[in-house]
């Protein structure tokens, strides 16, 4: 029986691993299919405290891994395919084995939704981004496009006008999904121009993005716009498929209380899998720490009850 199993090797999972390892719980981290999490899809992280020069997302993840292993965390490349709540413990099923654990920290994250067009892959993280807070700074005096019509698209496009000289917001319908107050802020911003009823058909460029071809969703007409970058704000998909019907979810995100407890005793959640508001590396780290401290308390009580 494991003391702590952590699902996910992004910032939340690895921070939880550092804390659980330092509490001598010898945590087992299962990396999941996206080893390192969303930070590995970005370039330089400039807003993580303590790195005034910025740090590559992949480098930050590597450092966190090393730090957790130094204190005794075990990191295994494996993907949790199923999850069962048992009497007083939980069970994780991977392709190779079934693992029983007293406590579980779910840090499986969320994956930004991508457009799914062929030309997108070429520019992922290098001209097409999913986090304005992280990568907007690279677009000083540039022209960019934000895709989406929800609160994120509004918030991110307003934020991006701090840097960019022009922001096009491209939405596939003729009205926004965003809340009224967010819409008002967007419409008031002189640097933002709406492009209604349009979808990205193709992204063109060489080592960087040069233009986007938009398709009118009503007429089917194609039109090319010269731009320097694209920010996708078309939602995130929390990685919670195996917990459906077993742990309480809200729109797919795991519901936790302020102490990161889920509704299943001994099961905690941290990072983007339970946070659809902040979605930042530093908040993921914070909740990873909290979840590990709560898991440690839970494990101590469990152990006492067995003695
Ligand atoms: P949403 O799911 O709310 O919105 C996604 C938007 O992207 C929709 O307008 C949708 O279009 C569009 N979209 C989805 N898929 C595609 C696609 N393949 N191609 C083109 N467009 C697409 O996601 P958000 O990230 O905006 O918001 C998530 C949650 O976070 C919401 O509850 C939101 O309120 C909240 N939030 C709150 C904020 C705040 O209060 N400050 C800030 C940011 C988010 P369509 O409208 O046609 O479905």
């Amino acid at each position: 029986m494991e003391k702590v199993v952590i699902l996910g090797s992004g910032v939340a999972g690895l921070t939880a691993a550092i804390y659980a390892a330092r509490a001598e719980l010898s945590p087992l981290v299962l990396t999941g299919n996206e080893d390192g999490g969303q930070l590995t899809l970005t370039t330089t992280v400039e807003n993580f405290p303590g790195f005034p020069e910025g740090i590559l997302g992949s480098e930050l993840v590597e450092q966190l891994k090393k730090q957790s292993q130094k204190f005794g965390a075990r990191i295994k490349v494996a993907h949790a395919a199923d999850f069962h709540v048992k009497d007083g413990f939980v069970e994780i099923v991977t392709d190779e084995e079934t693992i029983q654990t007293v406590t579980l920290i779910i840090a499986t994250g969320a994956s930004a939704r991508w457009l799914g067009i062929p030309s997108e892959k070429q520019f992922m993280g290098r001209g097409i981004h999913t986090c304005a807070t992280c990568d907007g700074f690279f677009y000083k005096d540039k022209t960019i496009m934000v895709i989406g019509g929800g609160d994120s698209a509004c918030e991110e496009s307003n934020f991006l006008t701090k840097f960019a000289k022009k922001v096009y917001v491209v939405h596939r319908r003729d009205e926004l999904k965003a809340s009224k107050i967010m819409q008002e802020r967007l419409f008031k911003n002189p640097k933002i121009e709406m492009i209604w009823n349009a979808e990205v058909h193709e992204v063109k460029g060489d080592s960087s993005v040069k233009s986007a071809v938009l398709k009118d969703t009503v007429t089917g007409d194609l039109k090319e716009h010269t731009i320097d970058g694209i920010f996708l704000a078309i939602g995130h998909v929390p990685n919670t498929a195996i917990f459906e019907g077993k742990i309480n979810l809200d729109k797919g995100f795991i519901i936790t209380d302020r102490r990161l407890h889920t509704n299943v005793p001994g099961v905690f959640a941290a990072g983007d899998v339970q946070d659809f508001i902040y979605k930042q590396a530093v908040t993921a780290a914070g909740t990873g720490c909290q979840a590990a401290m709560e898991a440690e308390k839970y494990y101590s009580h469990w152990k006492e009850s067995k003695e």
Side-chain angles (χ1 to χ4, degrees):
M1 178 83 77
E2 294 286 344
K3 295 171 185 159
V4 184
V5 170
I6 299 168
L7 300 184
S9 51
V11 175
L14 293 172
T15 305
I18 293 169
Y19 275 77
R22 285 175 58 82
E24 309 228 297
L25 296 173
S26 181
L28 174 66
V29 180
L30 305 186
T31 60
N33 284 341
E34 291 174 37
D35 193 359
Q38 290 181 70
L39 274 195
T40 58
L41 297 176
T42 183
T43 48
T44 309
V45 181
E46 294 190 331
N47 56 7
F48 201 86
F51 298 95
E53 305 304 325
I55 180 166
L56 282 177
S58 50
E59 170 72 12
L60 179 56
V61 167
E62 276 314 305
Q63 297 289 358
L64 290 169
K65 270 190 187 167
K66 265 193 213 155
Q67 197 174 351
S68 70
Q69 284 169 321
K70 176 175 153 190
F71 297 114
R74 293 162 295 143
I75 299 180
K76 198 169 191 177
V77 179
H79 178 71
D82 208 353
F83 160 83
H84 305 291
V85 180
K86 299 282 175 176
D87 192 15
F89 63 95
V90 297
E91 219 169 58
I92 292 294
V93 182
T94 73
D95 289 343
E96 286 171 8
E97 59 185 334
T98 296
I99 302 165
Q100 298 183 330
T101 179
V102 179
T103 69
L104 177 72
I105 298 174
I106 302 169
T108 47
S111 306
R113 191 176 281 132
W114 292 79
L115 296 167
I117 56 172
S119 49
E120 169 180 67
K121 287 201 179 74
Q122 186 187 343
F123 300 108
M124 273 182 183
R126 295 183 303 109
I128 304 186
H129 308 270
T130 55
C131 174
T133 315
C134 320
D135 299 325
F137 189 75
F138 303 114
Y139 289 90
K140 274 194 176 148
D141 297 321
K142 305 277 187 196
T143 299
I144 49 189
M145 227 171 221
V146 172
I147 318 298
D151 282 337
S152 295
C154 292
E155 192 171 71
E156 302 211 343
S157 48
N158 267 321
F159 175 78
L160 288 165
T161 59
K162 283 180 198 280
F163 315 103
K165 64 175 183 214
K166 171 103 191 165
V167 176
Y168 293 106
V169 177
V170 178
H171 185 38
R172 61 185 176 186
R173 295 188 290 129
D174 63 357
E175 59 176 353
L176 295 172
K177 177 182 177 188
S179 54
K180 286 283 172 263
I181 186 158
M182 298 292 244
Q183 297 198 22
E184 277 164 26
R185 280 186 207 144
L186 179 99
F187 296 143
K188 262 194 218 154
N189 192 321
K191 283 187 174 181
I192 295 178
E193 183 180 330
M194 282 301 307
I195 302 180
W196 300 105
N197 296 321
E199 274 174 350
V200 182
H201 178 71
E202 191 186 353
V203 182
K204 292 184 180 174
D206 36 49
S207 58
S208 61
V209 167
K210 300 276 187 246
S211 70
V213 180
L214 300 185
K215 184 178 183 179
D216 191 303
T217 53
V218 180
T219 63
D221 291 348
L222 298 179
K223 189 169 176 199
E224 190 162 349
H225 295 258
T226 304
I227 49 160
D228 302 296
I230 296 182
F231 284 81
L232 302 180
I234 57 174
H236 280 76
V237 188
N239 299 317
T240 51
I242 63 169
F243 307 112
E244 270 170 32
K246 295 172 181 169
I247 292 182
N248 289 345
L249 306 176
D250 175 16
K251 294 185 193 124
F253 290 87
I254 293 183
I255 300 174
T256 58
D257 64 12
R258 287 186 64 191
R259 293 173 176 236
L260 285 320
H261 291 239
T262 69
N263 64 306
V264 177
V267 179
F268 308 84
D272 286 8
V273 76
Q274 54 84 52
D275 166 22
F276 57 83
I277 300 173
Y278 302 105
K279 300 177 270 190
Q280 297 301 299
V282 68
T283 48
T287 52
C289 153
Q290 287 171 273
M293 290 174 78
E294 291 297 321
E296 197 268 328
K297 265 188 232 156
Y298 183 95
Y299 179 75
S300 297
H301 289 146
W302 179 88
K303 203 171 149 217
E304 270 170 32
S305 73
K306 299 282 167 203
E307 284 167 0

